[in-house]
């Protein structure tokens, strides 16, 4: 077994403007970066600790550092999955191992998974939660993006959706309520989303209120986000959701995200590939899933004032294939 050593760091990247969702606002992205190396070849990964799931940068860094004393874990993505729970820490390590394996073998992740690395994918561009007028202005300013994702927050969401649609009659629209709706909002708010031509609404209700969606005839497809972390969660979504948002930080890395995508498609769900607000190093592994997705939401680097070098390139609303020097 090749002996790998590990390094971990907590890093902060300022945002261009504050990013606001129903749970609060942030002015920078705090990420945990990992590198594994055999002394000649290195692999990198990045994760975003999420307070919603009880994670902090310090707790995630400590989980990762604890693995450094376990060479069996560092040498195997299978052993890693057995040792760490799904979440940010496992994600960073899992992606670092994928990158290391690609660079040490000379076989890219794209080649291993059999997708065309030359094709770009259309990604959402996210509009922060704000007043209807402010979100309409942001939508007009995002004229180069054809697929917009609105962050919603409960009261006022009907007006927000209508204002953005009026501002951008040409755009494809999806929305993310981040668990902010109540049971009495679901019916009328989804009807308003349909009237404004939305394609999808993510996680309208809190996780413990999923049962309200049971058998509900929704006028717009509803996507599970906070309610779905791993492949094992997929079956519980049947009859409640029509789509699943797969994020590597929830799943615990590319390995589990691939399994989750397969499980979702086998169960008849449509798939969104998403990410947290993070750098190009975080979204690069998720690109491996993008070609088979119905929606892609990997615009995190576009929200940053500065990014990794080299970064993922975006053009005309498309995310282009990540450079191999960055990852994979």
């Amino acid at each position: 077994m090749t002996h790998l050593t590990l390094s971990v760091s907590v890093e902060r990247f300022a945002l261009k403007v504050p990013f606001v969702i129903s749970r609060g606002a942030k002015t920078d992205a705090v990420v945990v970066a990992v590198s594994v190396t055999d002394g000649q070849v290195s692999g990198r990964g990045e994760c975003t600790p999420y307070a919603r799931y009880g994670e902090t940068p310090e707790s995630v860094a400590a989980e990762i550092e604890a693995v450094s004393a376990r060479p069996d874990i560092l040498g195997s993505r299978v052993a890693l999955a057995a040792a760490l729970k799904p979440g940010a820490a496992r994600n960073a390590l899992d992606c670092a191992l994928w990158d290391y394996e690609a660079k040490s073998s000379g076989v890219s992740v794209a080649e291993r998974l059999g997708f065309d690395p030359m094709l770009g994918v259309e990604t959402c561009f996210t509009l922060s939660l704000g007043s209807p007028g402010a979100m309409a202005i942001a939508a007009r300013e995002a004229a180069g993006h054809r697929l917009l994702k609105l962050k919603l927050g409960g009261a006022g969401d009907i007006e927000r959706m209508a204002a953005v649609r009026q501002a951008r009659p040409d755009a494809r629209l999806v929305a993310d309520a981040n668990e902010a709706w109540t049971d009495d909002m679901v019916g009328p708010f989804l009807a308003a989303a349909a009237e404004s031509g939305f394609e999808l609404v993510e996680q309208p209700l809190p996780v413990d209120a999923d049962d309200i969606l049971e058998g509900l005839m929704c006028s717009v497809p509803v996507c599970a986000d906070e309610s779905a972390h791993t492949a094992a969660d997929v079956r519980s979504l049947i009859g409640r959701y029509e789509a699943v948002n797969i994020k590597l930080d929830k799943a615990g890395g590319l390995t589990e995200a691939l399994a989750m995508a397969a499980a979702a498609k086998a169960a008849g769900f449509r798939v969104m590939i998403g990410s947290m607000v993070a750098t190009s190093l975080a979204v690069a592994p998720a690109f491996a899933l993008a070609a088979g997705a119905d929606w892609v939401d990997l615009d995190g680097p576009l929200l940053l004032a500065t990014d990794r070098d080299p970064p993922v390139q975006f053009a005309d609303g498309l995310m282009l294939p990540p450079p191999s020097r960055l990852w994979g």
Side-chain angles (χ1 to χ4, degrees):
M1 178 186 298
T2 302
H3 178 70
L4 299 177
T5 58
L6 177 153
S7 61
V8 57
S9 59
V10 176
E11 302 175 4
R12 189 177 297 268
F13 291 81
L15 305 185
K16 293 176 182 174
V17 297
F19 183 73
V20 185
I21 67 171
S22 63
R23 282 190 284 270
K26 61 168 63 179
T27 57
D28 49 23
V30 182
V31 304
V32 179
V34 170
S35 175
V36 295
T37 183
D38 61 11
Q40 294 184 315
V41 177
S42 298
R44 297 192 300 163
E46 178 186 304
C47 66
T48 304
Y50 199 35
R52 170 67 179 80
Y53 305 136
E55 298 171 334
T56 67
E58 295 74 22
S59 70
V60 168
E63 281 187 79
I64 294 169
E65 287 169 346
V67 170
S68 62
R70 295 279 306 276
D72 57 318
I73 294 176
L74 286 182
S76 166
R77 285 180 284 115
V78 175
L80 175 64
L84 289 182
K85 66 183 185 299
R90 194 213 285 180
N91 175 34
L93 282 165
D94 181 81
C95 291
L97 291 175
W98 275 92
D99 188 36
Y100 170 78
E101 291 165 7
K103 289 179 167 59
S104 60
S105 68
V107 179
S108 71
V109 173
E111 291 176 273
R112 289 183 61 182
L113 297 180
F115 70 88
D116 188 340
M118 300 307 294
L119 298 177
V121 295
E122 187 167 41
T123 180
C124 294
F125 182 76
T126 304
L127 305 181
S128 284
L129 176 64
S131 69
M135 295 185 76
I137 291 170
R140 284 192 290 269
E141 290 176 345
H145 300 274
R146 295 179 293 271
L147 176 58
L148 300 179
K149 177 176 176 176
L150 283 63
K151 288 293 187 178
L152 300 180
D157 283 349
I158 290 176
E159 293 78 12
R160 292 181 179 101
M161 290 186 285
V164 170
R165 171 50 74 201
Q166 184 175 13
R168 287 294 305 275
D170 62 308
R172 297 171 57 202
L173 301 178
V174 298
D176 183 4
N178 285 116
E179 304 180 276
W181 292 1
T182 57
D183 56 353
D184 59 320
M185 291 177 177
V186 174
F189 281 29
L190 287 175
E195 185 175 348
S196 290
F198 278 70
E199 299 179 11
L200 188 74
V201 174
E202 280 184 72
Q203 199 70 40
L205 293 161
V207 169
D208 59 5
D210 275 352
D211 58 306
I212 295 171
L213 298 171
E214 192 81 45
L216 185 68
M217 296 297 292
C218 296
S219 46
V220 172
V222 180
C223 178
D225 184 359
E226 286 86 349
S227 291
H229 290 236
T230 69
D233 297 329
V234 169
R235 291 200 60 80
S236 68
L237 308 175
I238 296 173
R240 299 180 176 185
Y241 293 94
E242 291 74 46
V244 180
N245 187 338
I246 298 172
K247 293 177 179 173
L248 274 63
D249 273 313
K250 291 187 303 178
L254 179 58
T255 303
E256 180 62 26
L258 289 164
M260 190 176 180
K265 291 177 182 178
F269 289 102
R270 299 172 76 183
V271 168
M272 172 181 273
I273 302 302
S275 70
M276 307 301 185
V277 180
T279 79
S280 286
L281 181 57
V283 301
F287 185 84
L289 292 156
D294 299 280
W295 299 274
V296 175
D297 180 25
L298 299 177
D299 66 331
L302 292 175
L303 308 179
L304 303 178
T306 57
D307 193 7
R308 302 284 182 186
D309 182 21
V312 169
Q313 297 294 322
F314 295 83
D316 298 323
L318 298 180
M319 176 184 178
L320 303 181
S324 59
R325 191 158 63 87
L326 172 70
W327 188 89

